[in-house]
Amino acid sequence: MTLRLARRATIALLPLVLLALHPAPLSAKEAAKPAAAATINPQTPAAKAWNFAASDIPFDSNIIFGVLPNGMKYALLKNTTPKDSVVLRMRFDVGSFAEADDQRGLAHFLEHMAFNGSTHVPEGEMVKLLERKGLAFGADTNASTGFDQTVYQLDLPNASDDLVDTGLMLMRETASELTIDPGAVDRERGIILSERRARDTYQLRGLIDQLDFQMQGMKVASRIPIGTEEVIRTAPAARIRDLYDRYYRPERATLVMVGDFDPAAMEAKIKARFADWQGRGPAGATPDIGKPDYARAAASDDFVDPAIQDSVTITAFRPWVQEADTKAKRARKLAEDIGESIVGRRLAKIALEENSPILAGYFSDAEGWKVFDQVTIGAVAKEGAWKDALSLVEREWRRAAAFGFTDAEVAEQVANRRTALKNAVAGVTTRRSDTMADVLVDAADGDFVVVRPETSQAMFEAVAPSLTADAITAAFRKRMEGFSPPLARVTSKKPLDGGTGAILAALKASEQVAVAAPAQTESAAFAYDDFGTPGKVVSDSRIDDLGIRRIRFANNVMLNIKKTDFQKERVYLSVRVDGGNLLATRDDPTKVALAGSLTVGGLEAHSADELRTILAGKTVSPGFGASTDAFGGSALTSPEDFALQAKLMAAFVTHPGYRADGLALIRRFLPQQYAANDATPAAVLGRDAAGILANNDPRAQTPPLEKLLALDWNQLKPAIADSLAHGAIEIGVVGDIDEQAAIDAIAATFGALPERRAAFDRRADARVRQYATDRSERTLIHKGPAEQAELRVYWPARDDSDLVEAMRLNLLARVMQLMLTEELREKLGESYSPGAAASLSDEYPGYGHLFAASNVDFKDLATTRAAIFAIAKELRDKPVDADLLDRARKPLLEAMTKARRENSYWLPYVSEATSQEARLDRSRKSIAIVEAATPADLETLAQRYLTDDKALVIKAISDKAGK
């Protein structure tokens, strides 16, 4: 399901405004009509169909925009990131809003039927066809249904004519050739019911409550795309066919292709494939979804669930006004965005105060389906502190409207936007194909002109001098005009004293509290600019076949660099300081638990909030925490800001802040997190499974909430002091950066530190992890709906030190995944998304497992269990079928090949290229190992590991099950 509103936000969710600030709302027809903009774009049918012909904003001329005589739009962009791949998207302007009452859920059902038989592709063959060509179901082949659109996606791993032609053929099959066979419909019902069951969570129930309260007068809450159980169980195929014929039509379709291809040749293929497509029967009307009651009096709502985050929101609406995308509109919205972002920034600052009633805050706005304009202010509240949180957000909104914004606040926002645009321009030649495809899909509505980053930057700089504090204040006040009375909403784990009446009373009481102008603040200079004499390089070598350069400084700091051109002006920096969670012990399993949150403790000279202001306009982030065997982290920066990023991370090693406000935020956050730990089957398994598998090792168990709340910085400091002062340091750099510039930056920071230990301590005793000796079946209890259950079967395996066996085990898991999908999803219809995987540790010698998992109905646990064990037996008893192995192997190989063109793939290797040089062979040899694996190899592994006597079954069932 996708909830699709055009939204601008600082951290968003939804809702505030004050009655005193809102004159009566304008109706859409009363809105002033903007002056026509000078046209500079082509006046072709395509430009008009894509709605940029009349705009004064120059469109991206590298994109071929087109429209066929039958009305189907298309957009093509040649793009080579990643190389030799193609992204296809096909969007239909129809979603759950088009459903009649007896069709609720059928737009989504129709999406499923696109994978279940068409004129030229028999039922059950589409996914298999794509798997044989290297596409994995889910990762590369997928679809989504929203309120007003359905989007199909294919991510082709190569740009061969065969694969492109197959992709286009399947999109045409989806567009006009679906059979929607009644038998196939009946076979799919169980799968969709399984998906609906899995989605029936407190979050979805909370969303429905929110939509029903805020959007009264509209049919949004009654058209959640997953639909109703009754319709899914009983609707005849003819009612699905009705939606298909009325709405899957060329005039409602848009095809997008972005990738490494010749656009002219691709355009010819599209015309040949789709030009003869015509709709069947009468076209469906654009759905009437209603509109909010803009005259509705101030109102309140609460939603109570033990797992929900405590939160407060205030929302208001006004009629949406049709407005062309012009330079003037973008300039106005830029000023509005800055004002809204400052309000969000103020809330974020308050959230970091030691005694704050909130954990996070935001201000957002949204345009809803060309019906309404919505504004929201809200916050995640400290548990039980909803009144203080509601009053806080109300006052901050009112403070912004009454007193406006300061020069420093505006400067921070302008700097951040300027840098974002600068980075976008620098990386224009390596924009990701999937990102661009999604932009073009969104543009199909005609609400905005797709432009190049250079155009956006030029428009920004043209208006930047006018973005003064007075101008932003005026824009914000104008933006707040014409909204309806406020709708206040609270979510809480416990019923509110006084119910919804107490919410309105709290809001009215807050409105009587006077607010003062915000204080003027100035940004300090970054305090950690000089770490001493730059370190001297004492060793410099290269790993030529992988393009990795290895440096060692005189103080023993290790630096590994891999220069790439995958993303222009983007560089990853990884820092690993010997230590990490291995410092915890069985007797003190939470000894270093707070180390994962070091960044919220800030630095000695700067709080976390002050760092946000100091680093405004810089491509820098404070990513520093803990992993299994190291303290540190990674960050994505730019060549220009790389040196500053290195200084920031070095400062966390030398001068962590351990500030009280950071600890207070952690203590406010933890109860919210723990409240959801038993809300769903997946949540309770996430809480308990790791500890069970590790033979109840307390270091692998989720600690009691009370234990974590009792921790403080004073306990952490001595536990990690030796690591931070003396532990070995290894740094990885991957991306578009000059090697010498990287060496100089690290020499001036980490290389300038006092001498470190030369190597990481293996801590062999701490790496001992025993697999569960008790293999009896475990039952975990969650608090979700009675029918929700999940079954997992674990088989102990090994670590990943034997590369050949590790890769074969991963391939075996892929085969099991396909078999589970065929049996549990396609044949039995019991599970929407069964899965299998191999988890082989690189940290704990000998530790690892294979597992199969399925989210099922409680009543189907026995048959699901039997099916999983039957599949394991089949894998033991006979070699894997050649076609099945091919369908598992090809997507894995394509994914492995594609990954090698990503900086994120190389970062883990480069970050340990000195201390763990042997692991580099995984990059060199893994593809060949997967290619060479035989059915006999996998059968041997299944016989060794997938035995019934070794299996450990863990199931999660509801506390209401069977009652």
Side-chain angles (χ1 to χ4, degrees), residues 119 147 154 321 324 384 470 475 478 571 594 650 656 660 715 750 773 779 812 838:
T119 302
F147 289 102
L154 294 174
V321 176
D470 287 344
K478 182 70 175 176
V571 190
L594 285 178
Q715 294 169 312
F750 292 94
T773 55
T779 299
L812 176 62

Side-chain angles (χ1 to χ4, degrees), residues 36-60 65 324-326 443 446-450:
T39 58
I40 61 171
N41 290 319
Q43 300 300 298
T44 61
K48 293 176 181 177
W50 283 87
N51 201 29
F52 61 79
S55 177
D56 62 350
I57 299 173
F59 79 108
D60 185 346
F65 291 98
D325 188 13
T326 64
D447 293 334
F448 64 91
V449 180
V450 181

Side-chain angles (χ1 to χ4, degrees), residues 404-419:
F405 309 110
T406 68
D407 292 330
E409 289 175 318
V410 172
E412 180 177 328
Q413 297 298 324
V414 169
N416 287 334
R417 283 160 174 74
R418 177 171 280 120
T419 298

Side-chain angles (χ1 to χ4, degrees), residues 471-648:
I472 301 304
T473 297
F476 181 79
R477 288 171 175 161
K478 182 70 175 176
R479 173 79 181 100
M480 295 303 111
E481 292 178 356
F483 279 96
S484 62
L487 303 177
R489 185 171 182 269
V490 174
T491 64
S492 175
K493 296 174 183 58
K494 299 177 181 178
L496 308 184
D497 291 338
T500 57
I503 300 173
L504 268 186
L507 181 63
K508 291 178 179 178
S510 177
E511 292 171 352
Q512 304 308 309
V513 178
V515 294
Q520 288 279 356
T521 59
E522 297 296 332
S523 176
F526 187 58
Y528 303 99
D529 195 56
D530 186 357
F531 289 83
T533 304
K536 179 182 178 182
V537 173
V538 296
S539 174
D540 188 347
S541 63
R542 290 186 181 273
I543 303 173
D544 291 330
D545 64 323
L546 299 180
I548 299 173
R549 185 175 179 181
R550 299 188 299 183
I551 302 291
R552 186 181 286 269
F553 294 97
N555 67 348
N556 285 321
V557 167
M558 298 163 273
L559 168 64
N560 312 312
I561 308 170
K562 181 176 175 63
K563 180 177 172 60
T564 72
D565 60 0
F566 304 142
Q567 289 181 284
K568 290 294 185 184
E569 298 290 311
R570 285 291 181 271
V571 190
Y572 280 98
L573 171 63
S574 165
V575 174
R576 300 179 68 251
V577 181
D578 187 21
N581 295 327
L582 289 179
L583 296 183
T585 66
R586 284 179 171 271
D587 293 333
D588 190 359
T590 60
K591 182 178 182 179
V592 293
L594 285 178
S597 303
L598 277 170
T599 53
V600 300
L603 298 171
E604 288 180 359
H606 309 299
S607 69
D609 178 73
E610 289 166 348
L611 283 172
R612 287 188 63 178
T613 298
I614 292 168
L615 301 174
K618 304 296 183 182
T619 311
V620 171
S621 58
F624 200 92
S627 62
T628 299
D629 61 355
F631 301 114
S634 63
L636 179 61
T637 182
S638 66
E640 180 180 351
D641 291 327
F642 181 85
L644 178 57
Q645 181 69 65
K647 292 174 182 177
L648 177 62

